[in-house]
Amino acid sequence: MKVLGFESSCDETGVALIEVPERGAPKLLGQALHSQIAMHQAYGGVVPELASRDHIRRVLPLTREVLDQAGVALNEIDVIAYTQGPGLAGALLVGAGVAVSLAAALGRPTLGIHHLEGHLLSPFLSADAPEFPFVALLVSGGHTQLMRVDEVGAYEILGETIDDAAGEAFDKSAKLLGLPYPGGPHLARLAEQGDATQFDLPRPLLHSGKPDFSFAGLKTAVLTQVKKLGDAPSEQQRADLAAATQAAIVEVLVKKSLLALKQTGLKRLVVAGGVGANSLLRQQLNTACAKRQLRVHYPELSLCTDNGAMIAMAAALRLQRGMADLQPAGGFEVRPR
Ligand code: KG4
Ligand code: ZN
């Protein structure tokens, strides 16, 4: 069985094709991705209307690219999956509309996928796929959650952020430091030259005893420090503050992940979502988990942020388990929230 997957929830247009055997690992046959980051950078964030229009421009050429890569014809596709939500409504409608139209033309069913399930299952795209059950740390621009994952579709939220997401904390702090959107990777790069001990930043809820998060206070603390530094902070001061910010976010993510592992008694951690690309987070999780004989899995770096492959993979894993809510081609809805 072949599944085509579309991702268009925010500022990346992703398309991918996966071969789904009855048993064993689904195989990625081709994928293509267009990032709109450069287009939105001038505005300091994603402009929803521009995002929708660009998805429209990109989605069919990317689909053609994927089919050519895989050497597969359109009518060989069996199921068409798309991100149903959460995300920007107009952006979601592009992927959903194309998926449903293609499905109607080909007489095939569609499958709406939850964007976060895509992130959660993205480590199954790597050769070293995790085994169930595991604890998942889902850290993206919009979400920060710890989950217990017993099987595909069996998810229990152990804890989540009560305000900002970890990616948001990176992005908002980066903006205060004058870095371009999306700030996470820029802040991480600046932090490489910095000394985290030069600033004392808060780690909200660190000792709450629960796997929950709060990052709004950190952003406020960064703002206070930026104001103190005045109009012309030195490059070193900016780097030090970036390093301190990153250290605070990473320490909270690591401690809370360990807490969730301890409380569930599970031995495996899966990290997913854009912030999972952060190298300090990976280093510290690797060290902490090795010390406690815990295993930690990550998606490939390029698959941490939004992409079509994770949507096609989530669809593939659901299909293999008979858990796919297939819809006959026809109407569709998106779920922005
Ligand atoms: O998962 P994702 O692509 O989109 C959402 O579904 O939100 O995550 C994007 C987030 C942004 O906040 C971005 O700044 C952050 O992931 N990010 C990083 C890094 N790479 C991406 N944050 C810290 N360090 C990185 N290397
Ligand atoms: Zn995402």
Side-chain angles (χ1 to χ4, degrees):
M1 200 186 257
K2 290 182 176 55
V3 183
L4 186 67
F6 291 101
E7 155 63 32
S8 70
S9 65
C10 187
D11 57 352
E12 330 271 344
T13 322
V15 185
L17 185 66
I18 285 188
E19 172 76 47
V20 191
E22 241 169 72
R23 223 160 294 196
K27 185 167 168 251
L28 185 64
L29 300 179
Q31 65 160 325
L33 186 70
H34 175 77
S35 170
Q36 306 177 352
I37 284 176
M39 181 180 79
H40 296 295
Q41 230 153 29
Y43 306 91
V46 177
V47 183
E49 179 61 22
L50 294 182
S52 314
R53 291 184 201 179
D54 201 59
H55 286 306
I56 292 174
R57 270 193 292 274
R58 307 288 174 176
V59 66
L60 289 180
L62 289 173
T63 306
R64 173 48 56 208
E65 195 182 320
V66 168
L67 293 171
D68 289 349
Q69 251 178 47
V72 166
L74 256 187
N75 61 11
E76 292 177 62
I77 293 166
D78 300 289
V79 173
I80 304 181
Y82 62 93
T83 303
Q84 195 162 33
L88 301 168
L92 287 166
L93 281 168
V94 178
V98 169
V100 172
S101 310
L102 260 180
L106 298 169
R108 302 291 195 276
T110 59
L111 178 54
I113 295 290
H114 194 291
H115 182 76
L116 296 183
E117 181 172 58
H119 277 301
L120 196 65
L121 300 177
S122 60
F124 287 86
L125 286 156
S126 65
D128 179 30
E131 277 168 38
F132 296 103
F134 52 78
V135 167
L137 171 68
L138 194 62
V139 271
S140 70
H143 294 83
T144 297
Q145 296 180 329
L146 274 159
M147 270 189 268
R148 180 193 171 101
V149 178
D150 283 301
E151 238 300 332
V152 173
Y155 312 127
E156 181 195 345
I157 296 179
L158 302 169
E160 57 192 330
T161 179
I162 58 167
D163 42 55
D164 291 352
E168 222 175 332
F170 267 106
D171 294 345
K172 288 178 175 171
S173 306
K175 201 167 186 173
L176 293 170
L177 283 162
L179 297 167
Y181 167 85
H186 293 281
L187 188 141
R189 217 165 299 133
L190 181 60
E192 283 170 21
Q193 320 301 327
D195 172 4
T197 64
Q198 295 301 311
F199 291 90
D200 189 19
L201 296 176
R203 274 95 168 130
L205 299 185
L206 189 62
H207 303 292
S208 70
K210 288 186 285 185
D212 50 1
F213 305 89
S214 164
F215 290 108
L218 175 63
K219 173 192 63 194
T220 311
V222 173
L223 176 62
T224 307
Q225 295 301 334
V226 167
K227 281 184 178 155
K228 269 195 205 158
L229 290 177
D231 288 341
S234 72
E235 199 50 28
Q236 191 58 50
Q237 285 171 320
R238 289 176 70 239
D240 291 346
L241 187 50
T245 307
Q246 176 174 250
I249 299 172
V250 167
E251 182 181 345
V252 173
L253 295 178
V254 172
K255 290 249 163 82
K256 296 288 179 168
S257 300
L258 294 175
L259 180 68
L261 286 159
K262 196 168 167 200
Q263 290 183 343
T264 56
L266 297 179
K267 302 282 176 220
R268 248 182 305 273
L269 177 69
V270 162
V271 183
V275 181
N278 185 270
S279 28
L280 185 72
L281 177 65
R282 287 187 174 216
Q283 262 170 39
Q284 295 203 359
L285 279 176
N286 288 344
T287 309
C289 288
K291 221 158 77 189
R292 295 165 177 79
Q293 267 127 31
L294 302 165
R295 287 224 45 195
V296 50
H297 295 261
Y298 307 93
E300 282 173 37
L301 265 186
S302 62
L303 298 175
C304 279
T305 44
D306 295 346
N307 62 84
M310 68 185 197
I311 300 305
M313 178 53 88
L317 294 174
R318 282 189 166 265
L319 284 162
Q320 276 185 324
R321 287 162 176 76
M323 289 178 57
D325 181 22
L326 293 175
Q327 297 296 316
F332 62 95
E333 59 168 344
V334 296
R335 297 178 190 148
R337 293 204 64 82

